[in-house]
Amino acid sequence: MFTLRYHTPAEWADIVSSDMDTFLPDHAAAEKKASGMALSMASHYPDRDHLVKIMTDIAIEELAHFRDVIKVMQSRGLTQTPDEKDPYINQLRKYFRKDSDLYLMDRLIIGAIVEARGAERFGLVRDALSPDHNSSSDAELFTFYQTITQSEERHQNIFIELAHHYLPNNEVNARLDELLDVEAEIVRNLPLRCALH
């Protein structure tokens, strides 16, 4: 496991926890996109059996998360909102290199970093919803975000393990080091808003 190099300010969690009805549709969209990304990788690399198996499992898990967020939304009378381009993801995509092996490496490493950021932020939401910090906390929503946080942490590790499985470890580690700095700078410069990224 690696550590992110910029920590989301506590103010972000305050913004989100005070307006969950705005955050939940964005969360649903993020889960839907994550499922699609995993399926895309499985389709793009059909000859890499291990990757196809892992990405198929992740796609199903992310789709289950999407279903679960939709259930929470429906219980609150919320509906999906139109998908928007994610400024965080779009900036990270600019760092994909063109060579096929380097492109695979960057997709896996950036996938791991995105999962790590998701784990960090979902963990902040969980903590903000904790009965220890919020007397009016929704116990079901708190438990839900505990589960989502653990899932994102697991996915972070899976993406890096896949990169090490298919590519030279020293090159993966060097590129991870570079991209962690890039990602930290991107997050530092993005405005805080009631959205995952």
Side-chain angles (χ1 to χ4, degrees), residues 48-63:
R48 299 182 188 258
D49 293 346
H50 183 56
L51 183 146
V52 169
K53 179 189 180 307
I54 296 295
M55 285 298 132
T56 302
D57 289 345
I58 287 178
I60 291 167
E61 187 174 355
E62 300 285 21
L63 192 58

Side-chain angles (χ1 to χ4, degrees), residues 15 111 135 148 186:
I15 291 168
S135 59
I148 293 284
I186 289 170

Side-chain angles (χ1 to χ4, degrees), residues 76 92 151-152 166:
R76 298 166 75 105
L92 283 172
S151 173
E152 299 286 300
Y166 286 109

Side-chain angles (χ1 to χ4, degrees), residues 28-99:
E31 298 291 358
K32 180 173 57 177
K33 291 172 186 175
S35 179
M37 181 279 301
L39 277 179
S40 170
M41 288 197 71
S43 298
H44 195 98
Y45 302 102
D47 57 327
R48 299 182 188 258
D49 293 346
H50 183 56
L51 183 146
V52 169
K53 179 189 180 307
I54 296 295
M55 285 298 132
T56 302
D57 289 345
I58 287 178
I60 291 167
E61 187 174 355
E62 300 285 21
L63 192 58
H65 292 165
F66 171 70
R67 176 201 61 207
D68 294 344
V69 180
I70 291 295
K71 285 181 182 176
V72 172
M73 288 169 55
Q74 290 174 342
S75 75
R76 298 166 75 105
L78 305 173
T79 57
Q80 293 181 72
T81 54
D83 286 350
E84 296 179 0
K85 292 192 182 295
D86 186 321
Y88 169 77
I89 298 295
N90 285 344
Q91 288 187 53
L92 283 172
R93 281 188 177 144
K94 294 176 185 175
Y95 292 88
F96 288 160
R97 295 170 294 179
K98 303 294 185 201
D99 175 85

Side-chain angles (χ1 to χ4, degrees), residues 12 16-17 19-31 65 68-70 72-73 76 78 118-130 137-153 194-196:
W12 176 85
V16 168
S17 63
D19 192 5
M20 290 300 294
D21 285 357
T22 297
F23 180 72
L24 285 163
D26 180 79
H27 178 185
E31 298 291 358
H65 292 165
D68 294 344
V69 180
I70 291 295
V72 172
M73 288 169 55
R76 298 166 75 105
L78 305 173
E120 181 220 28
R121 290 198 165 184
F122 288 135
L124 290 171
V125 173
R126 171 205 59 207
D127 294 346
L129 296 173
S130 166
S137 176
D138 179 330
E140 191 173 339
L141 207 53
F142 167 74
T143 302
F144 174 66
Y145 278 102
Q146 173 65 34
T147 302
I148 293 284
T149 300
Q150 291 168 344
S151 173
E152 299 286 300
E153 289 170 349
C194 194
L196 182 58

